[in-house]
């Protein structure tokens, strides 16, 4: 075999090494979900690629066998070929035979190693990592042919490897679960956002969905004190005055007090009938004839389960009970959906105040119903309490606190702005400057245009 033939064969072996190295990295790197998408789009090559990545252990063995065979071929053929080519050059330099042989061997070995590592391995690996999808589709056919041709050897080698790894309690690569944990998905979403593959809104929605299953109804409910309800002992004019004033679509109906909710009234149903009634007929209308059932659940029910129950029973309002059987609050479908899509406002929400208003840096006005986890997110804090809301936290620290008084929460001063009995309706949080942990009050600031809305629960679905 002359030197030209040797160089051609060396080039072929390096190209084959590059093929098998690229195959190995591509089939490991490619996303199965993307291959499934290509199959659904009718890509025929993706079908074969799917077969390969589903039998990953076998085809990794095929790639490794190909790399090993080509590497041995390069070692057997490449070093002697380059050494023969270098001898005339070294002889012309008048070197001793022993030195000539050593230098020729070292130079040939170094050159073939360089070509093998750089051209045959490093470059194909980089391309395979960056273009895994395209390469997997391209190499699927040739790799399949090599696998079929070399199957007896691959079967023997793979079986031996499985016995060895089985002794260590390890499973083949194809048997490993390909799914991602929630935290891994969050990291993938963050990387996709950073690289512009998804927009901030999509990223926010997905994160809210991850948090959705961790919420219970008590965390998003309208508390008992703020429930707007009608009573069975009301007259129609009294009920209409209340409904026209607050403009809610669905109203809980109580029989005595809020611990005895017997159902709800849909104002659309009621008003459509009253529109065609005379005054005498209106006077004879019984509220109970318009009462429809509501869902009654324990306050600790996960909101995911509550939403499914609402969808199944086609009821948009749920009354929550505490462990003692009393009414603790209510939840509407709008409250649940706001946990995913954020604040939902309609034409009747003009006077509705956001739960969180940013007045300046590290200076906020909060509704007492803001959850502790939202406060932690807002302030970058790690407040851990047994209460759900910032108002409950303040009362836990000082049950006798009154409007105009303040307490310390971490490095912030919490000034009570408005109370309704023992219920804290609004408070102000401002970071302490130069006197961490100190007492004292601050003046109520004037509102500024910048407003942040994190969550806005409604008393009843509008």
């Amino acid at each position: 075999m002359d030197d030209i033939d040797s160089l051609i064969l060396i080039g072929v072996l390096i190209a084959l090494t590059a093929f098998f190295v690229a195959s190995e990295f591509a089939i490991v790197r490619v996303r199965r979900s993307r291959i499934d998408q290509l199959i659904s789009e009718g890509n025929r090559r993706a079908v074969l690629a799917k077969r390969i990545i589903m039998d990953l252990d076998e085809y990794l063995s095929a790639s490794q066998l190909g790399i090993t065979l080509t590497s041995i071929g390069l070692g057997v053929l490449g070093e002697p070929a380059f050494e023969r080519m270098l001898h005339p050059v070294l002889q012309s330099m008048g070197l001793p035979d022993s030195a000539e042989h050593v230098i020729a061997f070292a130079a040939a070995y170094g050159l073939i190693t360089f070509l093998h590592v750089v051209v045959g391995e490093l470059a194909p690996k980089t391309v395979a990592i960056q273009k895994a999808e395209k390469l997997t589709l391209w190499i699927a056919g040739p790799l399949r042919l090599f696998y079929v041709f070399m199957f007896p050897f691959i079967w023997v080698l793979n079986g031996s490897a499985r016995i060895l790894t089985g002794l260590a309690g390890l499973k083949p690569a194809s048997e490993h679960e390909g799914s991602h944990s929630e935290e891994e998905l969050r990291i993938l979403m963050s990387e996709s956002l950073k690289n512009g593959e998804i927009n901030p809104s999509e990223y926010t929605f997905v994160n809210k969905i991850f948090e959705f299953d961790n919420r219970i109804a008590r965390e998003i409910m309208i508390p008992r004190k703020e429930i707007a309800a009608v009573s069975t002992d009301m007259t129609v004019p009294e009920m209409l005055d209340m409904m026209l004033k607050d403009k809610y679509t669905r109203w809980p109906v109580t029989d005595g007090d809020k611990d005895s909710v017997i159902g709800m009234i849909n104002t659309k149903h009621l008003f459509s009938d009253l529109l065609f009634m005379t005054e005498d007929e209106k006077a004879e209308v019984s509220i109970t004839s318009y009462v429809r059932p509501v869902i009654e659940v324990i306050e600790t029910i996960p909101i995911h389960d509550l939403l499914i129950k609402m969808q199944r029973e086609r009821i948009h309002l749920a009354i929550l009970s505490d462990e003692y059987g009393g009414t603790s609050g209510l939840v509407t479908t709008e409250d649940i959906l706001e946990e995913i899509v954020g604040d939902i406002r309609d034409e009747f929400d003009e006077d509705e105040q956001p739960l969180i208003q940013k007045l300046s840096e590290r200076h906020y006005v909060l509704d007492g119903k803001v959850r502790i986890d939202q406060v932690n997110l807002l302030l970058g804090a790690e407040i851990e309490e047994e209460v759900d809301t910032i108002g409950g936290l303040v009362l836990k620290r000082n049950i006798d606190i009154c409007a105009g008084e303040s307490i310390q929460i971490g490095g912030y001063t919490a000034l009570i702005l408005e109370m309704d009995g023992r219920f804290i309706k609004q408070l102000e949080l401002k970071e302490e400057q130069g006197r961490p942990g100190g007492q004292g009050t601050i003046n109520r600031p004037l509102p500024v245009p910048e407003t942040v809305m994190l969550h806005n629960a409604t008393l009843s679905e509008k």
Side-chain angles (χ1 to χ4, degrees), residues 87 102 142 163 176 232 271 307 382 388 400 402 416 451-452 457:
H87 267 300
V102 172
I163 293 173
H176 282 288
T232 54
F271 287 176
L307 179 60
E382 295 183 357
D388 296 325
D400 296 321
C402 299
I416 309 305
T451 298
V452 176

Side-chain angles (χ1 to χ4, degrees), residues 81-151:
F82 282 121
E83 188 175 356
R84 286 197 308 271
M85 296 177 197
L86 289 172
H87 267 300
V89 177
L90 296 175
Q91 284 177 348
S92 66
M93 298 172 64
L95 297 173
D97 290 342
S98 59
E100 178 186 322
H101 177 74
V102 172
I103 294 173
F105 174 80
Y109 185 80
L111 182 58
I112 198 68
T113 300
F114 176 82
L115 292 174
H116 178 258
V117 172
V118 175
V119 181
E121 294 197 12
L122 295 182
K125 178 190 69 174
T126 301
V127 174
I129 290 174
Q130 297 184 11
K131 304 289 183 181
E133 178 187 319
K134 292 182 179 179
L135 271 178
T136 300
L137 297 177
W138 183 78
I139 59 91
L143 186 61
R144 171 67 180 169
L145 289 176
F146 179 78
Y147 172 79
V148 172
F149 181 74
M150 302 296 292
F151 177 76

Side-chain angles (χ1 to χ4, degrees), residues 65-213:
L65 178 60
I67 294 170
T68 302
L69 292 176
T70 54
S71 298
I72 292 173
L74 281 173
V76 171
L77 178 65
E79 186 273 328
F82 282 121
E83 188 175 356
R84 286 197 308 271
M85 296 177 197
L86 289 172
H87 267 300
V89 177
L90 296 175
Q91 284 177 348
S92 66
M93 298 172 64
L95 297 173
D97 290 342
S98 59
E100 178 186 322
H101 177 74
V102 172
I103 294 173
F105 174 80
Y109 185 80
L111 182 58
I112 198 68
T113 300
F114 176 82
L115 292 174
H116 178 258
V117 172
V118 175
V119 181
E121 294 197 12
L122 295 182
K125 178 190 69 174
T126 301
V127 174
I129 290 174
Q130 297 184 11
K131 304 289 183 181
E133 178 187 319
K134 292 182 179 179
L135 271 178
T136 300
L137 297 177
W138 183 78
I139 59 91
L143 186 61
R144 171 67 180 169
L145 289 176
F146 179 78
Y147 172 79
V148 172
F149 181 74
M150 302 296 292
F151 177 76
F153 301 99
I154 294 173
W155 184 82
V156 172
L157 295 174
N158 229 20
S160 302
R162 284 177 176 173
I163 293 173
L164 184 61
T165 55
L167 296 175
L170 301 177
K171 296 180 180 180
S174 56
E175 294 183 20
H176 282 288
E177 182 61 44
S179 59
H180 296 284
S181 68
E182 183 175 307
E183 288 305 315
E184 289 173 329
L185 289 175
R186 287 178 185 268
I187 294 172
L188 291 174
M189 291 294 296
S190 297
E191 293 176 350
S192 298
L193 175 65
K194 183 173 63 176
N195 294 326
E197 297 294 331
I198 61 174
N199 60 51
S201 296
E202 293 170 329
Y203 177 76
T204 300
F205 288 155
V206 172
N207 271 309
K208 284 180 175 288
I209 290 173
F210 283 137
E211 297 168 1
F212 189 74
D213 281 344

Side-chain angles (χ1 to χ4, degrees), residues 397-439:
R397 301 279 182 87
N398 184 0
I399 188 64
D400 296 321
I401 198 167
C402 299
E405 297 180 350
S406 64
I407 67 169
Q408 295 299 312
I409 299 179
Y412 285 78
T413 295
L415 174 67
I416 309 305
L417 302 179
E418 186 178 355
M419 296 187 68
D420 182 5
R422 289 293 181 190
F423 175 63
I424 296 177
K425 299 186 69 174
Q426 197 175 56
L427 57 90
E428 180 185 86
L429 277 183
K430 185 175 183 181
E431 188 175 34
E432 280 290 293
Q433 299 294 332
R435 202 156 59 92
Q439 297 297 323

Side-chain angles (χ1 to χ4, degrees), residues 341-410:
V341 302
D343 180 56
I344 301 174
R345 296 170 67 87
D346 60 27
E347 65 274 18
F348 298 121
D349 289 337
E350 295 178 358
D351 298 331
E352 197 168 307
Q353 294 295 319
L355 295 187
I356 297 179
Q357 302 176 61
K358 182 177 181 180
L359 303 181
S360 62
E361 193 64 28
R362 299 291 181 177
H363 188 183
Y364 307 91
V365 171
L366 308 182
D367 190 287
K369 298 191 297 294
V370 174
R371 297 194 305 267
I372 294 296
D373 65 290
Q374 291 178 319
V375 175
N376 285 335
L377 181 64
L378 184 69
L379 306 182
E382 295 183 357
I383 302 172
E384 295 183 4
E385 296 287 348
E386 296 178 355
V387 293
D388 296 325
T389 65
I390 185 65
L393 174 62
V394 171
L395 290 176
K396 182 180 178 182
R397 301 279 182 87
N398 184 0
I399 188 64
D400 296 321
I401 198 167
C402 299
E405 297 180 350
S406 64
I407 67 169
Q408 295 299 312
I409 299 179

